[in-house]
Amino acid sequence: MPALKENASQLNSQAIELASKGDFKEAIACFKKALIMERENYLLWFNLGVTYRDSGDLVMAKEAMEKALSIEDEDEEVIETLALIDYNLGLVQEALKRCAEGLSANSSNAHLWNTLGVIYFNCEEYSLAQEAFEKAVTINPYYYDALFNLRDTYMETGNQAGYLMCINQMKNIKDNGQINA
């Protein structure tokens, strides 16, 4: 029986499996091999970027994500991931700009609002963080992470009523098994 010829899709799946087990070096090698076959496949670049990020190499993660974005400039998950990488590299203004660009394309992306809020919160811009988290929760009232972040923001700003409201909503979500990421 002849050996099956590898293709980019198989290599992508194999790389994801390797990365999930923490074997980042082998996963990266698989992604690079797949990219030789399909150089303009933004999903391969995205997955390579995520793997670099997870392995701790934020510089290479940024390069791969920027390549993914250059191929598919409207993918909101790529934009959000790149914003977080930029933030973790200390490029706060670039991260904020990426969030703003993503939100100008789709103002109903709760994940981007939450990411924007996280950046503002970590910069101690609590009123801007609160606004961003409130938008995320307005878009998706079951977005547990955004509620968690909003709760912490209310605590920082002394908004006791908002703090308690978030705790109650989070409890209801957990009790009803409705947690959405």
Side-chain angles (χ1 to χ4, degrees):
M1 186 173 199
L4 292 174
K5 185 172 165 60
E6 285 182 320
N7 65 44
S9 178
Q10 290 169 324
L11 288 165
N12 182 57
S13 296
Q14 182 181 352
I16 291 169
E17 178 69 23
L18 287 164
S20 74
K21 294 176 180 174
D23 194 350
F24 299 118
K25 188 176 179 182
E26 286 299 316
I28 289 166
C30 280
F31 285 127
K32 286 181 174 180
K33 194 172 182 182
L35 282 162
I36 291 169
M37 297 173 197
E38 293 185 17
R39 197 85 186 133
E40 296 300 309
N41 183 330
Y42 90 96
L43 194 53
L44 290 172
W45 286 106
F46 174 79
N47 290 338
L48 176 62
V50 168
T51 304
Y52 273 127
R53 179 201 65 198
D54 293 350
S55 76
D57 190 340
L58 295 180
V59 172
M60 291 303 292
K62 179 176 171 67
E63 281 184 30
M65 281 298 162
E66 285 178 335
K67 180 64 178 172
L69 191 62
S70 74
I71 297 167
E72 184 57 58
D73 66 351
E74 294 182 14
D75 187 294
E76 295 167 15
E77 191 173 3
V78 173
I79 294 167
E80 179 189 9
T81 304
L82 192 48
L84 287 168
I85 290 169
D86 285 340
Y87 177 75
N88 287 316
L89 282 167
L91 305 170
V92 175
Q93 292 308 311
E94 200 165 319
L96 290 170
K97 182 179 172 221
R98 289 198 195 279
C99 287
E101 288 169 357
L103 289 167
S104 72
N106 178 9
S107 63
S108 64
N109 183 318
H111 286 269
L112 274 170
W113 281 114
N114 185 60
T115 297
L116 182 63
V118 167
I119 295 167
Y120 281 137
F121 185 91
N122 287 317
C123 293
E124 298 181 7
E125 296 281 352
Y126 299 120
S127 63
L128 294 171
Q130 177 180 319
E131 185 180 318
F133 294 137
E134 286 173 344
K135 293 229 187 209
V137 170
T138 299
I139 293 163
N140 181 356
Y142 303 102
Y143 189 1
Y144 193 87
D145 288 351
L147 275 166
F148 183 94
N149 293 332
L150 182 58
R151 179 204 66 188
D152 288 356
T153 306
Y154 284 151
M155 186 172 66
E156 286 293 329
T157 61
N159 181 339
Q160 188 67 23
Y163 177 82
L164 293 173
M165 179 200 66
C166 288
I167 288 175
N168 287 333
Q169 178 67 3
M170 291 164 62
K171 183 182 179 325
N172 288 337
I173 290 170
K174 272 191 169 178
D175 290 348
N176 294 316
Q178 298 173 309
I179 295 178
N180 287 344

